[in-house]
Amino acid sequence: PKNFPPPTLILCLLRWHSFRVLFGAGMSKVGSRSSDCWKLFTCTQTHYFTQPMPTFLAWFFHYLPPWFHKMEVGLTFIEQ
């Protein structure tokens, strides 16, 4: 409700947690033990069929052109 804003400590802890999760995910992609597909911008070409529970849209996304997959990986790097 508007009359009871969330405590500042809780907001800070949520922001810190979000930062750690995204930073950790990004570092796992560019770290020394990362897969070569991240460096070649090709990881999403296989991701849609190898994810734990692929959806019916996975088939369509898997067959998108290679430039689209490279753009997806680039946007993932920007986001993380």
Side-chain angles (χ1 to χ4, degrees), residues 14-46:
L14 284 172
R15 288 177 183 147
W16 175 247
H17 176 70
S18 298
F19 169 77
R20 296 234 4 212
V21 167
L22 285 174
F23 188 76
M27 288 306 294
S28 71
K29 291 172 179 61
V30 296
S32 61
R33 292 187 285 172
S34 68
S35 175
D36 286 337
C37 70
W38 288 110
K39 296 172 185 142
L40 300 173
F41 284 69
T42 58
C43 273
T44 59
Q45 291 178 356
T46 57

Side-chain angles (χ1 to χ4, degrees), residues 5 10 16 20 28 48 55 62 64-67 73 75 79:
I10 299 299
W16 175 247
R20 296 234 4 212
S28 71
Y48 297 110
T55 67
H62 177 76
L64 287 171
W67 65 263
V73 174
L75 290 173
E79 182 262 336

